[in-house]
Amino acid sequence: MRTAVIGGGRVACRKVRILAEYGAVLTVTAPEVCDEIYELSEVYDRITINVKPFSEDDIEDVSAVISATSDNEVNRRIYELCVKKNIPVNTVDDPEKCTFIFPALVYKGNISAGVCSSGTAPAFSAYLRRRIEELIDEKMLFCADITAEIRPLVKERFLTEKRRRDVMYAVIDYIDKAEAIPDRSELYRLLEELEHEDKNRNT
């Protein structure tokens, strides 16, 4: 997704970091750009920086716009142009000038989750994001990894969608109830037992 970020300060930098982690192609435009954004552009080759004032051309051929300038008049102009051109726009810290809202994001390992209050209570969204982040411990990260690992095997060995779902839930439940992170061999044995049950049931 090609996204224009208008603004080069710390607020813009937070949005750039999040979007870059999710694979967006970004063009950052601002008269001044903070060092952190330059550092991100060295990590992610999908980030282009234009050091100049905003112009209408900066939002041509983009899928979305993040307006993060410190100038309310510029933010208002960007919003009006985006609405006119039917481009989704998020004006940071101004819900009335947004056609979409950024959720407060949790991003740990292969797990990501978003919390959104429709822009009405960003502090609560941030608080809830922290609480969710605390819940995602090493066992939960292991569970995400192992279920992704065994998914092709489950699709191969179990015939129906319902049975595959039940098997995956059985694996998740086994991990959840274990006092510590189980060894992978335990989970593969569990799959073999469940497959053996199916074969006995069908004979």
Side-chain angles (χ1 to χ4, degrees):
M1 181 178 73
R2 186 162 180 263
T3 302
V5 179
I6 314 300
R10 294 185 180 278
V11 174
C13 183
R14 289 200 301 271
K15 304 304 183 185
V16 169
R17 179 178 291 106
I18 291 168
L19 289 166
E21 288 178 351
Y22 280 88
V25 178
L26 303 169
T27 301
V28 179
T29 301
E32 296 181 9
V33 176
C34 68
D35 290 342
E36 289 86 348
I37 292 178
Y38 278 107
E39 290 167 6
L40 286 169
S41 72
E42 293 175 1
V43 176
Y44 300 99
D45 59 8
R46 301 183 304 275
I47 299 174
T48 302
I49 298 173
N50 293 326
V51 181
K52 69 178 197 64
F54 168 75
S55 66
E56 186 172 345
D57 291 344
D58 297 322
I59 59 172
E60 291 297 324
D61 300 318
V62 298
S63 300
V65 173
I66 309 301
S67 181
T69 83
S70 57
D71 187 323
N72 289 335
E73 182 58 29
V74 172
N75 288 340
R76 182 192 62 77
R77 182 182 171 214
I78 293 168
Y79 170 75
E80 290 176 352
L81 285 169
C82 288
V83 170
K84 182 180 177 181
K85 295 172 180 288
N86 293 315
I87 303 169
V89 58
N90 176 277
T91 305
V92 178
D93 294 331
D94 191 349
E96 292 184 0
K97 293 185 179 67
C98 295
T99 59
F100 74 95
I101 300 294
F102 261 99
L105 291 171
V106 180
Y107 192 69
K108 290 179 76 172
N110 290 328
I111 299 174
S112 60
V115 179
C116 183
S117 62
S118 299
T120 60
F124 178 72
S125 295
Y127 163 78
L128 198 54
R129 179 196 63 77
R130 289 193 299 271
R131 291 296 300 272
I132 293 171
E133 195 168 34
E134 290 168 2
L135 291 172
I136 302 174
D137 57 12
E138 290 301 315
K139 187 195 281 189
M140 195 172 288
L141 291 173
F142 170 79
C143 188
D145 287 343
I146 193 67
T147 51
E149 180 181 315
I150 67 173
R151 185 167 176 252
L153 192 62
V154 171
K155 289 179 73 174
E156 178 186 321
R157 294 187 177 182
F158 298 91
L159 299 178
T160 67
E161 188 62 34
K162 180 182 184 306
R163 185 55 178 155
R164 293 167 186 161
R165 185 172 58 250
D166 290 344
V167 168
M168 295 298 280
Y169 284 158
V171 171
I172 293 168
D173 189 56
Y174 185 94
I175 296 169
D176 184 51
K177 290 178 178 176
E179 292 185 5
I181 296 174
D183 189 86
R184 273 177 159 75
S185 61
E186 295 178 49
L187 300 171
Y188 280 95
R189 281 198 300 272
L190 174 61
L191 286 183
E192 289 174 1
E193 291 171 6
L194 293 170
E195 185 182 14
H196 186 66
E197 286 178 12
D198 278 13
K199 288 179 178 177
N200 286 342
R201 190 179 298 119
N202 293 327
T203 56

